[in-house]
Amino acid sequence: MGSGALMEYRDDGAHLRFPRGFLWGSGTSAYQFEGGDYRCDWSESERRGEIRAPGRVGQATDFWNRFSEDIRLAAELGHDAMKISVEWARVEPDEGCIDQDAIAHYREMLMVMREVGIRPIVVAHHFTSPAWLESHGWWLGNDVPGIFARYAGQLVERLGDLADTWCTINEPALLAAFGYGTGKWPPFRKGWPTGLAAYARLSRAHNLAYAEMKRIAPQATVGICLNSVAVRPAPGKRLERLVRAPANWLANFRAADIVRGHTDFLGVQYYSRMSPGRIFGAVGRLDDPGEGEARTDMGWPIFPSGLYDVVRDAWKRYGTPIYVTENGLADARDTQREGFIRDHLAWLHRAMREGADVRGYLHWATTDNFEWLHGFEPRFGLIGIDYDTLERTVRPSARYYERICREGEVIVTENHPSLAP
Ligand code: BGC
């Protein structure tokens, strides 16, 4: 067995043990949580009334002011890692000018994490960009990768004593597809040529930022977070079976191939599956659930074995350490989250038993959050938020996850599908 992942059958079922030192936690991002007033592409588009979301981001969850409460709550729930992102528009509100107050604020955030024993995984870019990037043509500008790398280097220089694990860009392919290709997100540069061009800039930005961050802090661990989907042909469709491999390449390997050799780890972010037909048709949506299949409040099929597919494939192809940096569901009633966590972890454990070097699992998300074009309705949080009072309430599933975090072990029945030979 590889990776220190062990399994033992006992009277109450199969005990799946994760290796010592495996990181357990959850995630947030700047724009979806912090709230507040600053000039990034999303906030500017919102001000101009261009975003067709139910509700405006406004104060979001007020994480900017309540980070200490949320981080402490996460620590009480047994988390020892947390993904956060830094808002570029706060740190560099005008091109070339670093805002010392913003840096001081993020330092405070990281210090609270350190104090309560939570290891930060800091993302430099999670979908939003400063408004001034417009003068460079947003992510279509030739000079933008270099400008981003300079900013990423500044982060490591100013926050690097408090954080050793970094991620350059969150899901560049998704940003290229939505902000450019389909043009549904700011900066609404619709068209496949722009989608491809933005994608090329974002990939280059990662590679340059990686080099810059390692130059400044050679000891830092720097990676990238990539959206992944399980690619399963729709039942009974022969053509879909035939094109599964190229569809899988397009959906899961294209981004990772470009950053090969320029990353210390891969952050795998997994939610559900997509058929080859949808991938080639650029449908931009996950599969619809099959008849009777469990689904999240977003309507996405709950498909735990897909996490095994994407982790196994990434490990086989790249042999680079993996963190699952996002995996979760919208589930307002909290009736499915416990089973979701158990089943996804069971399949992840299978990939690890087969040798995949997985170092941590971060559930998305720590608390409820602003879900981009879907507004505040989808409830992704382990901790619920009442948006009228901003009161935080720990959901029962967070208690279930707490036991896993503390014990480093998931218990499943002996006939769990992930244990099948
Ligand atoms: C994004 C998050 C988002 C989550 C759920 C991921 O693709 O990184 O910002 O909230 O999916 O849709």
Side-chain angles (χ1 to χ4, degrees):
M1 262 180 214
S3 307
L6 300 170
M7 184 173 70
E8 196 186 311
Y9 286 105
R10 294 200 207 143
D11 288 348
D12 58 346
H15 289 235
L16 311 177
R17 290 215 54 81
F18 287 76
R20 202 186 292 272
F22 189 85
L23 292 182
W24 294 104
S26 58
T28 67
S29 76
Y31 194 72
Q32 295 175 276
F33 295 80
E34 287 178 353
D37 197 18
Y38 52 87
R39 302 191 55 218
C40 72
D41 48 1
W42 272 78
S43 60
E44 292 293 282
S45 296
E46 219 183 48
R47 259 190 275 279
R48 290 195 293 263
E50 294 164 354
I51 307 265
R52 284 202 223 123
R56 306 182 116 219
V57 72
Q59 62 187 349
T61 72
D62 198 27
F63 186 71
W64 186 250
N65 297 307
R66 291 168 201 247
F67 65 83
S68 177
E69 184 188 338
D70 289 349
I71 293 167
R72 286 173 205 280
L73 210 45
E76 277 168 30
L77 289 171
H79 301 191
D80 60 15
M82 192 176 192
K83 178 179 180 242
I84 59 164
S85 80
V86 169
E87 187 65 75
W88 187 3
R90 284 191 193 274
V91 167
E92 195 176 348
D94 296 301
E95 188 174 356
C97 302
I98 299 295
D99 184 326
Q100 296 308 334
D101 291 346
I103 292 287
H105 195 95
Y106 284 115
R107 289 190 64 80
E108 229 182 291
M109 219 180 258
L110 295 173
M111 276 182 310
V112 173
M113 289 184 167
R114 175 172 277 215
E115 192 195 309
V116 298
I118 288 198
R119 174 138 152 220
I121 296 180
V122 185
V123 180
H125 189 280
H126 191 126
F127 296 157
T128 47
S129 301
W132 55 259
L133 210 63
E134 183 168 15
S135 62
H136 294 270
W138 299 112
W139 280 100
L140 300 172
N142 256 329
D143 49 353
V144 173
I147 294 172
F148 173 76
R150 186 188 61 196
Y151 149 73
Q154 290 282 334
L155 290 187
V156 170
E157 192 157 331
R158 290 159 198 259
L159 307 174
D161 56 325
L162 297 171
D164 57 13
T165 309
W166 292 83
C167 164
T168 55
I169 303 179
N170 184 79
E171 302 190 345
L174 214 76
L175 175 57
F178 287 156
Y180 299 81
T182 63
K184 290 183 188 158
W185 286 3
F188 311 109
R189 296 292 189 270
K190 191 173 167 172
W192 287 109
T194 50
L196 291 173
Y199 187 67
R201 304 290 180 275
L202 284 156
S203 307
R204 183 164 162 70
H206 165 81
N207 288 348
L208 292 181
Y210 176 79
E212 179 66 358
M213 292 163 107
K214 297 293 276 192
R215 182 184 70 77
I216 293 169
Q219 74 293 351
T221 304
V222 182
I224 186 164
C225 298
L226 301 175
N227 45 304
S228 322
V229 289
V231 182
R232 295 283 177 101
K237 298 216 170 144
R238 196 166 158 267
L239 186 62
E240 288 229 334
R241 279 205 308 279
L242 289 174
V243 295
R244 186 198 170 267
N248 196 31
W249 179 82
L250 198 60
N252 291 316
F253 301 146
R254 185 172 62 131
D257 277 2
I258 301 175
V259 301
R260 197 179 219 158
H262 306 267
T263 192
D264 300 331
F265 69 88
L266 286 175
V268 167
Q269 316 211 134
Y270 172 75
Y271 287 90
S272 194
R273 59 161 201 265
M274 210 190 256
S275 67
R278 287 201 174 204
I279 292 166
F280 285 121
V283 172
R285 269 188 303 117
L286 294 162
D287 280 355
D288 296 322
E291 185 82 19
E293 189 177 15
R295 65 188 68 191
T296 75
D297 293 349
M298 303 287 283
W300 301 341
I302 297 183
F303 194 64
S305 62
L307 181 58
Y308 165 79
D309 289 16
V310 295
V311 167
R312 175 205 56 196
D313 288 0
W315 172 251
K316 268 200 201 150
R317 190 169 173 100
Y318 304 106
T320 307
I322 291 170
Y323 289 90
V324 175
T325 40
E326 277 187 29
N327 172 236
L329 76 166
D331 178 23
R333 290 179 301 133
D334 201 43
T335 52
Q336 309 204 81
R337 194 169 280 105
E338 178 176 325
F340 181 102
I341 293 173
R342 181 197 58 231
D343 294 341
H344 282 77
L345 286 173
W347 280 102
L348 178 65
H349 196 267
R350 181 179 181 136
M352 294 170 69
R353 289 199 302 278
E354 292 177 9
D357 177 4
V358 184
R359 309 263 172 106
Y361 172 87
L362 304 177
H363 191 78
W364 182 266
T366 314
T367 67
D368 288 337
N369 55 275
F370 178 74
E371 183 54 30
W372 308 109
L373 293 185
H374 301 277
F376 288 105
E377 200 133 306
R379 301 291 185 148
F380 276 91
L382 289 164
I383 300 167
I385 294 211
D386 175 333
Y387 288 107
D388 294 327
T389 60
L390 291 175
E391 197 188 326
R392 275 68 173 145
T393 306
V394 172
R395 294 204 161 103
S397 57
R399 294 292 176 197
Y400 168 77
Y401 183 49
E402 176 183 0
R403 280 199 302 281
I404 296 176
C405 297
R406 293 201 188 281
E407 286 159 23
E409 170 178 286
V410 178
I411 304 172
V412 295
T413 55
E414 285 186 23
N415 59 0
H416 192 275
S418 68
L419 303 178

PDB file of all heavy atoms in Angstrom, residues 29 32-33 83 126-127 170-171 174 185 227 269 271 298 300 326 364-365 369-372 374 380, ligand 1:
ATOM      1  N   SER A  29     -12.626  32.176   0.020  1.00  0.00           N
ATOM      2  CA  SER A  29     -11.897  32.994  -0.949  1.00  0.00           C
ATOM      3  C   SER A  29     -12.225  34.446  -0.640  1.00  0.00           C
ATOM      4  O   SER A  29     -13.176  34.724   0.100  1.00  0.00           O
ATOM      5  CB  SER A  29     -12.314  32.655  -2.383  1.00  0.00           C
ATOM      6  OG  SER A  29     -13.575  33.236  -2.663  1.00  0.00           O
ATOM      7  N   GLN A  32     -15.824  36.086  -2.290  1.00  0.00           N
ATOM      8  CA  GLN A  32     -17.049  35.399  -1.884  1.00  0.00           C
ATOM      9  C   GLN A  32     -17.354  35.544  -0.396  1.00  0.00           C
ATOM     10  O   GLN A  32     -18.447  35.216   0.045  1.00  0.00           O
ATOM     11  CB  GLN A  32     -16.939  33.910  -2.210  1.00  0.00           C
ATOM     12  CG  GLN A  32     -16.851  33.623  -3.690  1.00  0.00           C
ATOM     13  CD  GLN A  32     -16.628  32.148  -3.944  1.00  0.00           C
ATOM     14  OE1 GLN A  32     -15.516  31.652  -3.910  1.00  0.00           O
ATOM     15  NE2 GLN A  32     -17.712  31.418  -4.184  1.00  0.00           N
ATOM     16  N   PHE A  33     -16.380  36.001   0.382  1.00  0.00           N
ATOM     17  CA  PHE A  33     -16.532  36.013   1.837  1.00  0.00           C
ATOM     18  C   PHE A  33     -16.278  37.380   2.476  1.00  0.00           C
ATOM     19  O   PHE A  33     -16.997  37.766   3.387  1.00  0.00           O
ATOM     20  CB  PHE A  33     -15.569  34.999   2.481  1.00  0.00           C
ATOM     21  CG  PHE A  33     -15.869  33.574   2.113  1.00  0.00           C
ATOM     22  CD1 PHE A  33     -15.458  33.049   0.901  1.00  0.00           C
ATOM     23  CD2 PHE A  33     -16.568  32.751   2.981  1.00  0.00           C
ATOM     24  CE1 PHE A  33     -15.750  31.733   0.551  1.00  0.00           C
ATOM     25  CE2 PHE A  33     -16.855  31.434   2.655  1.00  0.00           C
ATOM     26  CZ  PHE A  33     -16.446  30.922   1.427  1.00  0.00           C
ATOM     27  N   LYS A  83      -7.827  27.101   3.228  1.00  0.00           N
ATOM     28  CA  LYS A  83      -7.483  27.816   2.002  1.00  0.00           C
ATOM     29  C   LYS A  83      -8.155  29.186   2.079  1.00  0.00           C
ATOM     30  O   LYS A  83      -9.358  29.269   2.300  1.00  0.00           O
ATOM     31  CB  LYS A  83      -8.019  27.011   0.830  1.00  0.00           C
ATOM     32  CG  LYS A  83      -7.832  27.585  -0.559  1.00  0.00           C
ATOM     33  CD  LYS A  83      -8.443  26.571  -1.554  1.00  0.00           C
ATOM     34  CE  LYS A  83      -8.334  27.003  -2.991  1.00  0.00           C
ATOM     35  NZ  LYS A  83      -9.659  27.188  -3.623  1.00  0.00           N
ATOM     36  N   HIS A 126      -8.205  34.421  -6.941  1.00  0.00           N
ATOM     37  CA  HIS A 126      -9.399  33.561  -7.011  1.00  0.00           C
ATOM     38  C   HIS A 126     -10.474  34.329  -7.785  1.00  0.00           C
ATOM     39  O   HIS A 126     -11.331  34.991  -7.207  1.00  0.00           O
ATOM     40  CB  HIS A 126      -9.879  33.179  -5.609  1.00  0.00           C
ATOM     41  CG  HIS A 126     -10.935  32.105  -5.599  1.00  0.00           C
ATOM     42  ND1 HIS A 126     -10.819  30.943  -4.859  1.00  0.00           N
ATOM     43  CD2 HIS A 126     -12.117  32.003  -6.239  1.00  0.00           C
ATOM     44  CE1 HIS A 126     -11.907  30.186  -5.046  1.00  0.00           C
ATOM     45  NE2 HIS A 126     -12.711  30.818  -5.882  1.00  0.00           N
ATOM     46  N   PHE A 127     -10.384  34.279  -9.061  1.00  0.00           N
ATOM     47  CA  PHE A 127     -11.345  34.824 -10.049  1.00  0.00           C
ATOM     48  C   PHE A 127     -11.384  36.348 -10.200  1.00  0.00           C
ATOM     49  O   PHE A 127     -11.691  36.828 -11.285  1.00  0.00           O
ATOM     50  CB  PHE A 127     -12.781  34.340  -9.765  1.00  0.00           C
ATOM     51  CG  PHE A 127     -12.983  32.844  -9.908  1.00  0.00           C
ATOM     52  CD1 PHE A 127     -14.028  32.201  -9.244  1.00  0.00           C
ATOM     53  CD2 PHE A 127     -12.148  32.079 -10.710  1.00  0.00           C
ATOM     54  CE1 PHE A 127     -14.227  30.827  -9.374  1.00  0.00           C
ATOM     55  CE2 PHE A 127     -12.347  30.700 -10.844  1.00  0.00           C
ATOM     56  CZ  PHE A 127     -13.392  30.081 -10.174  1.00  0.00           C
ATOM     57  N   ASN A 170      -6.504  30.229  -8.818  1.00  0.00           N
ATOM     58  CA  ASN A 170      -7.585  29.271  -8.630  1.00  0.00           C
ATOM     59  C   ASN A 170      -8.326  29.059  -9.950  1.00  0.00           C
ATOM     60  O   ASN A 170      -8.855  30.011 -10.535  1.00  0.00           O
ATOM     61  CB  ASN A 170      -8.562  29.816  -7.577  1.00  0.00           C
ATOM     62  CG  ASN A 170      -9.677  28.830  -7.255  1.00  0.00           C
ATOM     63  OD1 ASN A 170      -9.473  27.875  -6.505  1.00  0.00           O
ATOM     64  ND2 ASN A 170     -10.852  29.050  -7.820  1.00  0.00           N
ATOM     65  N   GLU A 171      -8.346  27.835 -10.417  1.00  0.00           N
ATOM     66  CA  GLU A 171      -9.132  27.418 -11.583  1.00  0.00           C
ATOM     67  C   GLU A 171      -9.020  28.365 -12.787  1.00  0.00           C
ATOM     68  O   GLU A 171     -10.021  28.949 -13.231  1.00  0.00           O
ATOM     69  CB  GLU A 171     -10.600  27.237 -11.177  1.00  0.00           C
ATOM     70  CG  GLU A 171     -10.773  26.210 -10.064  1.00  0.00           C
ATOM     71  CD  GLU A 171     -12.225  25.830  -9.788  1.00  0.00           C
ATOM     72  OE1 GLU A 171     -13.120  26.553 -10.248  1.00  0.00           O
ATOM     73  OE2 GLU A 171     -12.447  24.807  -9.123  1.00  0.00           O
ATOM     74  N   LEU A 174     -11.565  27.840 -15.610  1.00  0.00           N
ATOM     75  CA  LEU A 174     -12.934  28.300 -15.374  1.00  0.00           C
ATOM     76  C   LEU A 174     -13.046  29.804 -15.607  1.00  0.00           C
ATOM     77  O   LEU A 174     -13.997  30.292 -16.214  1.00  0.00           O
ATOM     78  CB  LEU A 174     -13.361  27.960 -13.946  1.00  0.00           C
ATOM     79  CG  LEU A 174     -14.829  27.618 -13.830  1.00  0.00           C
ATOM     80  CD1 LEU A 174     -15.090  26.216 -14.357  1.00  0.00           C
ATOM     81  CD2 LEU A 174     -15.276  27.710 -12.379  1.00  0.00           C
ATOM     82  N   TRP A 185     -19.195  36.112 -17.040  1.00  0.00           N
ATOM     83  CA  TRP A 185     -18.617  36.772 -15.866  1.00  0.00           C
ATOM     84  C   TRP A 185     -17.835  38.002 -16.336  1.00  0.00           C
ATOM     85  O   TRP A 185     -17.401  38.053 -17.497  1.00  0.00           O
ATOM     86  CB  TRP A 185     -17.607  35.853 -15.176  1.00  0.00           C
ATOM     87  CG  TRP A 185     -18.159  34.714 -14.392  1.00  0.00           C
ATOM     88  CD1 TRP A 185     -19.459  34.336 -14.243  1.00  0.00           C
ATOM     89  CD2 TRP A 185     -17.372  33.773 -13.621  1.00  0.00           C
ATOM     90  NE1 TRP A 185     -19.533  33.221 -13.442  1.00  0.00           N
ATOM     91  CE2 TRP A 185     -18.281  32.855 -13.049  1.00  0.00           C
ATOM     92  CE3 TRP A 185     -16.007  33.618 -13.368  1.00  0.00           C
ATOM     93  CZ2 TRP A 185     -17.855  31.813 -12.217  1.00  0.00           C
ATOM     94  CZ3 TRP A 185     -15.594  32.584 -12.557  1.00  0.00           C
ATOM     95  CH2 TRP A 185     -16.502  31.691 -11.976  1.00  0.00           C
ATOM     96  N   ASN A 227      -9.692  23.070 -11.618  1.00  0.00           N
ATOM     97  CA  ASN A 227     -11.003  22.436 -11.622  1.00  0.00           C
ATOM     98  C   ASN A 227     -10.910  21.100 -12.349  1.00  0.00           C
ATOM     99  O   ASN A 227     -10.284  20.991 -13.406  1.00  0.00           O
ATOM    100  CB  ASN A 227     -12.059  23.334 -12.284  1.00  0.00           C
ATOM    101  CG  ASN A 227     -11.572  23.944 -13.582  1.00  0.00           C
ATOM    102  OD1 ASN A 227     -10.546  24.607 -13.609  1.00  0.00           O
ATOM    103  ND2 ASN A 227     -12.294  23.700 -14.662  1.00  0.00           N
ATOM    104  N   GLN A 269      -9.668  20.196  -7.527  1.00  0.00           N
ATOM    105  CA  GLN A 269     -10.957  20.700  -7.039  1.00  0.00           C
ATOM    106  C   GLN A 269     -12.044  19.941  -7.785  1.00  0.00           C
ATOM    107  O   GLN A 269     -12.169  20.058  -9.005  1.00  0.00           O
ATOM    108  CB  GLN A 269     -11.049  22.203  -7.272  1.00  0.00           C
ATOM    109  CG  GLN A 269      -9.733  22.887  -6.866  1.00  0.00           C
ATOM    110  CD  GLN A 269      -9.846  24.301  -6.351  1.00  0.00           C
ATOM    111  OE1 GLN A 269      -9.237  24.611  -5.341  1.00  0.00           O
ATOM    112  NE2 GLN A 269     -10.579  25.166  -7.005  1.00  0.00           N
ATOM    113  N   TYR A 271     -16.088  18.514  -8.025  1.00  0.00           N
ATOM    114  CA  TYR A 271     -17.501  18.631  -7.638  1.00  0.00           C
ATOM    115  C   TYR A 271     -18.393  17.536  -8.217  1.00  0.00           C
ATOM    116  O   TYR A 271     -19.248  17.007  -7.526  1.00  0.00           O
ATOM    117  CB  TYR A 271     -18.044  20.016  -8.030  1.00  0.00           C
ATOM    118  CG  TYR A 271     -17.501  21.078  -7.109  1.00  0.00           C
ATOM    119  CD1 TYR A 271     -16.307  21.746  -7.398  1.00  0.00           C
ATOM    120  CD2 TYR A 271     -18.128  21.358  -5.905  1.00  0.00           C
ATOM    121  CE1 TYR A 271     -15.772  22.672  -6.516  1.00  0.00           C
ATOM    122  CE2 TYR A 271     -17.616  22.288  -5.019  1.00  0.00           C
ATOM    123  CZ  TYR A 271     -16.434  22.943  -5.334  1.00  0.00           C
ATOM    124  OH  TYR A 271     -15.901  23.850  -4.444  1.00  0.00           O
ATOM    125  N   MET A 298     -27.599  22.615  -6.204  1.00  0.00           N
ATOM    126  CA  MET A 298     -27.273  23.232  -7.498  1.00  0.00           C
ATOM    127  C   MET A 298     -27.773  22.351  -8.640  1.00  0.00           C
ATOM    128  O   MET A 298     -27.621  22.707  -9.810  1.00  0.00           O
ATOM    129  CB  MET A 298     -25.754  23.400  -7.670  1.00  0.00           C
ATOM    130  CG  MET A 298     -25.032  24.204  -6.613  1.00  0.00           C
ATOM    131  SD  MET A 298     -25.343  25.961  -6.733  1.00  0.00           S
ATOM    132  CE  MET A 298     -24.306  26.441  -8.104  1.00  0.00           C
ATOM    133  N   TRP A 300     -26.418  19.390  -9.224  1.00  0.00           N
ATOM    134  CA  TRP A 300     -25.283  18.574  -9.701  1.00  0.00           C
ATOM    135  C   TRP A 300     -25.411  17.160  -9.144  1.00  0.00           C
ATOM    136  O   TRP A 300     -25.738  16.998  -7.954  1.00  0.00           O
ATOM    137  CB  TRP A 300     -23.947  19.163  -9.227  1.00  0.00           C
ATOM    138  CG  TRP A 300     -23.702  20.562  -9.674  1.00  0.00           C
ATOM    139  CD1 TRP A 300     -24.312  21.217 -10.702  1.00  0.00           C
ATOM    140  CD2 TRP A 300     -22.771  21.493  -9.100  1.00  0.00           C
ATOM    141  NE1 TRP A 300     -23.813  22.496 -10.814  1.00  0.00           N
ATOM    142  CE2 TRP A 300     -22.872  22.699  -9.851  1.00  0.00           C
ATOM    143  CE3 TRP A 300     -21.860  21.436  -8.047  1.00  0.00           C
ATOM    144  CZ2 TRP A 300     -22.098  23.826  -9.565  1.00  0.00           C
ATOM    145  CZ3 TRP A 300     -21.095  22.550  -7.761  1.00  0.00           C
ATOM    146  CH2 TRP A 300     -21.215  23.731  -8.511  1.00  0.00           C
ATOM    147  N   GLU A 326     -10.565  21.714  -3.046  1.00  0.00           N
ATOM    148  CA  GLU A 326     -12.002  22.022  -2.950  1.00  0.00           C
ATOM    149  C   GLU A 326     -12.778  20.756  -3.274  1.00  0.00           C
ATOM    150  O   GLU A 326     -12.449  20.039  -4.224  1.00  0.00           O
ATOM    151  CB  GLU A 326     -12.446  23.102  -3.952  1.00  0.00           C
ATOM    152  CG  GLU A 326     -12.210  24.523  -3.528  1.00  0.00           C
ATOM    153  CD  GLU A 326     -12.822  25.546  -4.489  1.00  0.00           C
ATOM    154  OE1 GLU A 326     -13.836  25.245  -5.148  1.00  0.00           O
ATOM    155  OE2 GLU A 326     -12.264  26.654  -4.580  1.00  0.00           O
ATOM    156  N   TRP A 364     -15.073  22.388   0.738  1.00  0.00           N
ATOM    157  CA  TRP A 364     -15.601  23.693   0.352  1.00  0.00           C
ATOM    158  C   TRP A 364     -17.034  23.779   0.828  1.00  0.00           C
ATOM    159  O   TRP A 364     -17.849  22.986   0.377  1.00  0.00           O
ATOM    160  CB  TRP A 364     -15.524  23.889  -1.168  1.00  0.00           C
ATOM    161  CG  TRP A 364     -16.017  25.239  -1.575  1.00  0.00           C
ATOM    162  CD1 TRP A 364     -17.290  25.566  -1.970  1.00  0.00           C
ATOM    163  CD2 TRP A 364     -15.250  26.464  -1.610  1.00  0.00           C
ATOM    164  NE1 TRP A 364     -17.357  26.912  -2.251  1.00  0.00           N
ATOM    165  CE2 TRP A 364     -16.127  27.475  -2.035  1.00  0.00           C
ATOM    166  CE3 TRP A 364     -13.920  26.792  -1.297  1.00  0.00           C
ATOM    167  CZ2 TRP A 364     -15.727  28.811  -2.167  1.00  0.00           C
ATOM    168  CZ3 TRP A 364     -13.527  28.107  -1.437  1.00  0.00           C
ATOM    169  CH2 TRP A 364     -14.407  29.098  -1.867  1.00  0.00           C
ATOM    170  N   ALA A 365     -17.419  24.695   1.738  1.00  0.00           N
ATOM    171  CA  ALA A 365     -16.561  25.759   2.189  1.00  0.00           C
ATOM    172  C   ALA A 365     -16.642  25.836   3.716  1.00  0.00           C
ATOM    173  O   ALA A 365     -17.486  25.179   4.337  1.00  0.00           O
ATOM    174  CB  ALA A 365     -17.071  27.070   1.584  1.00  0.00           C
ATOM    175  N   ASN A 369     -21.464  31.210   1.572  1.00  0.00           N
ATOM    176  CA  ASN A 369     -20.714  32.228   0.833  1.00  0.00           C
ATOM    177  C   ASN A 369     -21.508  32.748  -0.356  1.00  0.00           C
ATOM    178  O   ASN A 369     -22.546  32.190  -0.717  1.00  0.00           O
ATOM    179  CB  ASN A 369     -19.397  31.619   0.341  1.00  0.00           C
ATOM    180  CG  ASN A 369     -19.625  30.363  -0.467  1.00  0.00           C
ATOM    181  OD1 ASN A 369     -19.747  29.276   0.100  1.00  0.00           O
ATOM    182  ND2 ASN A 369     -19.723  30.490  -1.771  1.00  0.00           N
ATOM    183  N   PHE A 370     -20.984  33.773  -0.970  1.00  0.00           N
ATOM    184  CA  PHE A 370     -21.546  34.338  -2.203  1.00  0.00           C
ATOM    185  C   PHE A 370     -21.134  33.437  -3.362  1.00  0.00           C
ATOM    186  O   PHE A 370     -19.941  33.289  -3.634  1.00  0.00           O
ATOM    187  CB  PHE A 370     -20.998  35.758  -2.398  1.00  0.00           C
ATOM    188  CG  PHE A 370     -21.472  36.421  -3.648  1.00  0.00           C
ATOM    189  CD1 PHE A 370     -22.766  36.895  -3.747  1.00  0.00           C
ATOM    190  CD2 PHE A 370     -20.621  36.603  -4.730  1.00  0.00           C
ATOM    191  CE1 PHE A 370     -23.216  37.514  -4.907  1.00  0.00           C
ATOM    192  CE2 PHE A 370     -21.058  37.228  -5.896  1.00  0.00           C
ATOM    193  CZ  PHE A 370     -22.363  37.682  -5.979  1.00  0.00           C
ATOM    194  N   GLU A 371     -22.105  32.832  -4.010  1.00  0.00           N
ATOM    195  CA  GLU A 371     -21.812  31.831  -5.046  1.00  0.00           C
ATOM    196  C   GLU A 371     -21.916  32.457  -6.446  1.00  0.00           C
ATOM    197  O   GLU A 371     -22.737  32.062  -7.257  1.00  0.00           O
ATOM    198  CB  GLU A 371     -22.732  30.623  -4.840  1.00  0.00           C
ATOM    199  CG  GLU A 371     -22.516  29.456  -5.778  1.00  0.00           C
ATOM    200  CD  GLU A 371     -21.095  28.924  -5.831  1.00  0.00           C
ATOM    201  OE1 GLU A 371     -20.371  29.019  -4.827  1.00  0.00           O
ATOM    202  OE2 GLU A 371     -20.705  28.435  -6.897  1.00  0.00           O
ATOM    203  N   TRP A 372     -21.131  33.487  -6.689  1.00  0.00           N
ATOM    204  CA  TRP A 372     -21.015  34.106  -8.002  1.00  0.00           C
ATOM    205  C   TRP A 372     -22.398  34.415  -8.597  1.00  0.00           C
ATOM    206  O   TRP A 372     -23.212  35.035  -7.943  1.00  0.00           O
ATOM    207  CB  TRP A 372     -20.118  33.234  -8.913  1.00  0.00           C
ATOM    208  CG  TRP A 372     -18.826  32.925  -8.229  1.00  0.00           C
ATOM    209  CD1 TRP A 372     -18.431  31.722  -7.732  1.00  0.00           C
ATOM    210  CD2 TRP A 372     -17.768  33.855  -7.883  1.00  0.00           C
ATOM    211  NE1 TRP A 372     -17.199  31.832  -7.123  1.00  0.00           N
ATOM    212  CE2 TRP A 372     -16.769  33.119  -7.204  1.00  0.00           C
ATOM    213  CE3 TRP A 372     -17.560  35.221  -8.083  1.00  0.00           C
ATOM    214  CZ2 TRP A 372     -15.594  33.709  -6.727  1.00  0.00           C
ATOM    215  CZ3 TRP A 372     -16.383  35.805  -7.611  1.00  0.00           C
ATOM    216  CH2 TRP A 372     -15.430  35.047  -6.951  1.00  0.00           C
ATOM    217  N   HIS A 374     -24.987  32.856  -8.779  1.00  0.00           N
ATOM    218  CA  HIS A 374     -26.118  32.283  -8.045  1.00  0.00           C
ATOM    219  C   HIS A 374     -26.408  33.028  -6.751  1.00  0.00           C
ATOM    220  O   HIS A 374     -27.314  32.642  -6.000  1.00  0.00           O
ATOM    221  CB  HIS A 374     -25.872  30.800  -7.756  1.00  0.00           C
ATOM    222  CG  HIS A 374     -25.659  29.993  -8.991  1.00  0.00           C
ATOM    223  ND1 HIS A 374     -26.691  29.510  -9.752  1.00  0.00           N
ATOM    224  CD2 HIS A 374     -24.521  29.637  -9.642  1.00  0.00           C
ATOM    225  CE1 HIS A 374     -26.215  28.870 -10.801  1.00  0.00           C
ATOM    226  NE2 HIS A 374     -24.891  28.930 -10.758  1.00  0.00           N
ATOM    227  N   PHE A 380     -23.109  26.275   0.771  1.00  0.00           N
ATOM    228  CA  PHE A 380     -21.962  25.363   0.701  1.00  0.00           C
ATOM    229  C   PHE A 380     -21.267  25.176   2.054  1.00  0.00           C
ATOM    230  O   PHE A 380     -20.314  24.409   2.161  1.00  0.00           O
ATOM    231  CB  PHE A 380     -20.928  25.895  -0.304  1.00  0.00           C
ATOM    232  CG  PHE A 380     -21.205  25.538  -1.749  1.00  0.00           C
ATOM    233  CD1 PHE A 380     -21.956  26.366  -2.555  1.00  0.00           C
ATOM    234  CD2 PHE A 380     -20.700  24.369  -2.297  1.00  0.00           C
ATOM    235  CE1 PHE A 380     -22.203  26.050  -3.890  1.00  0.00           C
ATOM    236  CE2 PHE A 380     -20.934  24.034  -3.633  1.00  0.00           C
ATOM    237  CZ  PHE A 380     -21.696  24.874  -4.431  1.00  0.00           C
TER     238      PHE A 380
HETATM  239  C1  BGC B   1     -14.832  27.827  -7.118  1.00  0.00           C
HETATM  240  C2  BGC B   1     -15.555  28.432  -5.934  1.00  0.00           C
HETATM  241  C3  BGC B   1     -17.030  28.074  -5.976  1.00  0.00           C
HETATM  242  C4  BGC B   1     -17.170  26.573  -6.009  1.00  0.00           C
HETATM  243  C5  BGC B   1     -18.608  26.063  -5.991  1.00  0.00           C
HETATM  244  C6  BGC B   1     -15.268  26.428  -7.479  1.00  0.00           C
HETATM  245  O1  BGC B   1     -15.178  26.233  -8.848  1.00  0.00           O
HETATM  246  O2  BGC B   1     -13.441  27.883  -6.917  1.00  0.00           O
HETATM  247  O3  BGC B   1     -15.353  29.808  -5.944  1.00  0.00           O
HETATM  248  O4  BGC B   1     -17.732  28.619  -4.893  1.00  0.00           O
HETATM  249  O5  BGC B   1     -16.573  26.091  -7.187  1.00  0.00           O
HETATM  250  O6  BGC B   1     -19.270  26.376  -7.156  1.00  0.00           O
END
